[in-house]
Amino acid sequence: MLNSSIFLIMPTAKSKRFQNKQREKRKRKRQKLVGLSKRDLRALELQRLVYRPDFFKSGNSRTLAEVNSFHRKDFVKIIHDLKRNFPNEQLEVLDEGAGNSSFGKELQENVKTQTGLEINVTRTDLQGVADSRPHSPQELFKHFGRNKFHLIVSTFGGTTYSHSIQKSVSNLISVLKPGGVASLLLQGSKERLEQIKKLGRVFPNAHLDFFVYKYPSNTNAYGCVLTIKKTG
């Protein structure tokens, strides 16, 4: 008969100190989160995603649920509302700076399941991603012409890196149909986002709405959700 023995490895004094330190660190973090407003908690969530090392790479996989959360919108509902405004048209969607995101495909599937509608999704990305057209936001009008899309979604896309924000937004408005909606998620310095806010006075044929937030950290990074509704 074999004897079986159970060996217990007791933590050393050093490992105990480390564990206690980690517990205290988590406790302080929870206490800090309790004191944050809903706005700050939302910004903190975005900060964690944005500063993930692989977030801006074309290989990322942003889902419909993530993009909805980032933009603070329900894009399936927006499609449903747009269909009421364009009852005799098949809706055209532009996913600008798409990367390898599953957003466009999931949007098509969810719209089909929930509303029975068929929509077309065009993807653009400068990094040579499959099934995407290599167009920058500054040349959208050149390639698509005026009044092409009912909905434009850009999640940290080309507009974030554009040398001319005004030219990029001008192109987006040009290819957007009157009555259409564009939603852009941008980031940059406070000065850069202040420049974006001034664009509201530049385009008389569109209404621009801004939600600007600062990441709750020691960085100088700011984020902005820019919603454009074309009026004419």
Side-chain angles (χ1 to χ4, degrees), residues 58 60-64 67 95 98-105 123:
S58 62
N60 64 66
S61 180
R62 293 191 286 267
T63 65
L64 172 61
V67 175
D95 185 4
N100 284 328
S101 168
S102 61
F103 164 73
K105 183 178 180 180
R123 295 156 46 89

Side-chain angles (χ1 to χ4, degrees), residues 112-123:
K112 176 71 172 178
T113 301
Q114 296 182 35
T115 68
L117 299 176
E118 297 277 359
I119 62 171
N120 291 328
V121 176
T122 301
R123 295 156 46 89

Side-chain angles (χ1 to χ4, degrees), residues 26-195:
R26 290 193 294 269
K27 182 179 178 181
R28 288 194 299 271
K29 187 175 182 180
R30 287 195 297 270
Q31 290 172 340
K32 182 179 179 181
L33 290 175
V34 169
L36 292 178
S37 65
K38 289 184 178 180
R39 184 187 181 99
D40 285 340
L41 287 170
R42 177 75 192 121
L44 181 60
E45 178 186 350
L46 284 166
Q47 178 197 12
R48 288 169 177 163
L49 290 165
V50 169
Y51 286 99
R52 220 170 54 200
D54 65 335
F55 190 79
F56 290 107
K57 296 180 181 179
S58 62
N60 64 66
S61 180
R62 293 191 286 267
T63 65
L64 172 61
E66 286 177 323
V67 175
N68 278 344
S69 179
F70 298 157
H71 289 257
R72 308 165 70 87
K73 294 178 176 68
D74 182 344
F75 285 108
V76 174
K77 183 179 184 302
I78 289 175
I79 289 290
H80 186 265
D81 293 340
L82 285 170
K83 188 59 180 178
R84 288 204 295 260
N85 298 333
F86 301 93
N88 300 320
E89 299 181 23
Q90 185 170 27
L91 299 186
E92 298 283 346
V93 179
L94 174 63
D95 185 4
E96 193 279 315
N100 284 328
S101 168
S102 61
F103 164 73
K105 183 178 180 180
E106 288 187 51
L107 182 63
Q108 285 179 306
E109 293 172 349
N110 278 264
V111 167
K112 176 71 172 178
T113 301
Q114 296 182 35
T115 68
L117 299 176
E118 297 277 359
I119 62 171
N120 291 328
V121 176
T122 301
R123 295 156 46 89
T124 60
D125 193 285
L126 286 175
Q127 301 184 65
V129 179
D131 300 322
S132 294
R133 302 188 186 187
H135 306 325
S136 76
Q138 297 185 33
E139 54 186 12
L140 293 175
F141 176 70
K142 172 184 175 182
H143 294 286
F144 296 113
R146 194 176 304 278
N147 303 335
K148 167 70 174 177
F149 299 102
H150 301 84
L151 173 65
I152 299 173
V153 181
S154 177
T155 307
F156 299 120
T159 308
T160 292
Y161 308 100
S162 174
H163 295 296
S164 175
I165 290 289
Q166 182 169 331
K167 186 174 181 180
S168 295
V169 173
S170 176
N171 268 259
L172 288 165
I173 292 175
S174 293
V175 300
L176 188 65
K177 280 180 172 286
V181 177
S183 184
L184 286 65
L185 183 58
L186 313 168
Q187 82 155 8
S189 66
K190 183 178 181 180
E191 292 73 20
R192 184 172 174 82
L193 294 185
E194 285 298 326
Q195 292 176 1

Side-chain angles (χ1 to χ4, degrees), residues 210-224:
F210 303 86
F211 173 75
V212 178
Y213 55 88
K214 185 181 187 302
Y215 298 127
S217 67
N218 293 325
T219 70
N220 292 320
Y222 286 74
C224 173

Side-chain angles (χ1 to χ4, degrees), residues 9-22:
I9 301 176
M10 301 300 292
T12 64
K14 183 177 180 180
S15 65
K16 282 184 178 180
R17 288 195 298 271
F18 176 77
Q19 291 171 3
N20 290 335
K21 187 176 180 180
Q22 292 299 105

